[in-house]
Every structure is written in C-alpha cells, then in structure tokens.
C-alpha cells in the first residue's frame, strides 16, 4: 500500500546520519510531533523543531499536496535574525489543512549562509520555485550551494 511505502521512506530519512565531512557548512535537523504513520489529523497542533549545527539563517516552508506554499518561519517583517549554532527553534503550526487540501504534505527546512527571502521580498518567487521542485522530488538534495536542506513528509487527514 502507499502508506506502507511512505513509512519505509520516512524511516530511511530518519536513519540518515548527518554527514559532517564537509566542514563549515551547516547541517540541519527537522522533526515534528506526528502520530503513528506520521499522520496529522485536523485539529492537532503541528509542533516543528529545527536545529542547525552552525550559526545560519533558517527557513521553514510547508507545501501541501497541490503545491501550495506557506512560509512557516521566518515570519518576521524586519531583518531576519541568524539562528545560533545548535539552537533549536520550536514552531507551533495550528493551521488546519489549508484550503481543505488533505494528503501528503512536505515540510522543508533550509539552513543558509544568506538570509532566506520572505514572501514579500523580491527573491521569494525564485526561492519558492526551488522549494516546490524539492517538495515534488522523490529524492530532494541535501545540500545546494551554501544551503543545507531537510525534508519531512507527512499525511494530513480529516
């Protein structure tokens, strides 16, 4: 069944050992409080934790099964703050299934040497296009340039 494959895929992702052979680049860890089979039911709060190994800018984007993007972090209007080395950011996302879209959702966390564009900024469209590509990929890259990427997929169910 599809759900079975999904579970195995997730287990493989979680088992991935952080490759610290590339010095100086951040590695990023992404976790969420998901129930059995990594399913999130409507009404359940999604608690996301993100940790980067080195001081960096961090962005978290949520992509639903139709490819709609929502920036979960940063949600700042001012300049984006850098996150300290090994500092964990906890995010509570209580948004219901956006637009009633259920199915596989993808959380993507990015640690970068450069600021992550906000939805209101000029670089957002290019960044959003890249994130959409990663979300649609069965094996998204773990690193692109000076960005480290972590991907977590889960089911949103009624």
């Amino acid at each position: 069944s599809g759900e079975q494959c999904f579970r195995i895929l997730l287990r493989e992702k979680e088992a991935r050992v952080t490759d610290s052979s590339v010095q100086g680049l951040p590695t990023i860890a992404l976790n969420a409080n998901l129930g059995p089979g990594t399913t999130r039911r409507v009404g359940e709060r999604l608690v996301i934790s993100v940790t980067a190994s080195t001081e960096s800018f961090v962005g978290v984007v949520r992509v639903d099964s139709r490819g709609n993007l929502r920036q979960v972090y940063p949600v700042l209007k001012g300049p984006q703050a850098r996150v300290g080395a090994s500092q964990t950011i906890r995010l509570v996302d209580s948004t219901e299934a956006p637009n009633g879209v259920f199915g596989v959702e993808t959380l993507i966390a990015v640690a970068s040497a450069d600021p992550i564009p906000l939805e209101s900024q000029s670089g957002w469209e290019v960044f959003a296009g890249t994130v959409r590509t990663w979300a649609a990929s069965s094996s998204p890259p773990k690193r692109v340039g000076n960005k480290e990427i972590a991907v977590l997929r889960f089911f949103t169910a009624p």
Side-chain angles (χ1 to χ4, degrees), residues 95-120:
T95 319
E96 298 300 333
N99 321 321
V101 179
F102 297 109
V104 176
E105 281 201 57
T106 309
L107 270 179
I108 295 184
V110 179
S112 173
D114 306 313
I116 308 276
L118 298 171
E119 289 184 58
S120 57

Side-chain angles (χ1 to χ4, degrees), residues 22-45:
V22 183
Q23 290 307 312
L25 283 169
T27 53
I28 188 164
L30 169 66
N31 291 295
N33 65 328
L34 295 160
T38 57
T39 298
R40 174 177 183 254
R41 305 240 167 244
V42 167
E44 287 177 346
R45 290 188 323 168

Side-chain angles (χ1 to χ4, degrees), residues 24-26 55-58 82 110-116 146-148:
L25 283 169
E55 188 184 329
S56 48
F57 292 100
V58 171
R82 287 169 71 101
V110 179
S112 173
D114 306 313
I116 308 276
N146 63 2
K147 291 177 175 53
E148 179 79 18

Side-chain angles (χ1 to χ4, degrees), residues 127-150:
F127 178 69
T130 307
V131 167
R132 245 186 220 105
T133 305
W134 295 338
S137 166
S138 57
S139 55
K142 294 175 175 71
R143 178 176 288 122
V144 175
N146 63 2
K147 291 177 175 53
E148 179 79 18
I149 298 128

Side-chain angles (χ1 to χ4, degrees), residues 10-91:
L10 280 173
R11 201 169 298 128
E12 276 176 28
K13 281 252 187 302
E14 289 164 356
R16 166 169 91 82
V17 177
T18 308
D19 173 19
S20 56
S21 60
V22 183
Q23 290 307 312
L25 283 169
T27 53
I28 188 164
L30 169 66
N31 291 295
N33 65 328
L34 295 160
T38 57
T39 298
R40 174 177 183 254
R41 305 240 167 244
V42 167
E44 287 177 346
R45 290 188 323 168
L46 182 64
V47 183
I48 304 162
S49 63
V50 184
T51 313
S53 61
T54 57
E55 188 184 329
S56 48
F57 292 100
V58 171
V60 180
V61 179
R62 198 168 147 184
V63 188
D64 71 18
S65 56
R66 289 189 191 153
N68 299 314
L69 251 73
R70 204 163 52 73
Q71 190 164 30
V72 181
Y73 184 91
V75 286
L76 309 175
K77 296 286 175 270
Q80 195 198 139
R82 287 169 71 101
V83 175
S86 303
Q87 179 188 341
T88 299
I89 309 168
R90 282 192 202 293
L91 308 165

